[in-house]
Amino acid sequence: MDSTSRLDKWLWAARIFKTRSIAADACKNGRVTIGGANAKPSRPLKEGEVVSVKKPPVTYSFKVLKCIERRVGAKLIPEIYENVTDPKQYELLEMSRISGFVDRARGTGRPTKKERRALDSFVEPMVFGLDDEYEGDLDDEFNFDI
């Protein structure tokens, strides 16, 4: 194994992204940073560097322990990188999971049955109608001439 490797290959090999092309796209779109600076997919990665990956709503941080370019089994991941993500990011993730139906993106369609029931239990349904005390005609109250 080399002491350096391509960033996109490492992200794929370390199982942070499912495919190498997704890892490269993330780099190109500015979702992967090293030391606070955006990184290109072909950037050489060295051991000891901290890679930050934005996967909304969370920004994960990984300290590189070993530079690899071939995908390894999930059991070997602790030898490849150390997760140094801020605990506040995980709180943010948990909050978004709890209130996921509230942050529905515009145009994503109707709520699912589960989300609809959660909304109904959260917001009490309003009852529309007239008071029981009023027995007159609506035209009398609003002075409509029909």
Side-chain angles (χ1 to χ4, degrees), residues 23 41 92 97 138 145:
L92 184 66
R97 281 187 184 154
L138 280 176
D145 293 328

Side-chain angles (χ1 to χ4, degrees), residues 60-80:
Y60 297 97
S61 299
F62 306 103
K63 183 178 180 183
V64 179
L65 301 178
K66 193 185 263 187
C67 290
I68 60 170
E69 289 194 353
R70 293 189 182 210
R71 200 163 171 100
V72 296
K75 290 182 180 179
L76 299 176
I77 293 299
E79 299 172 12
I80 308 302

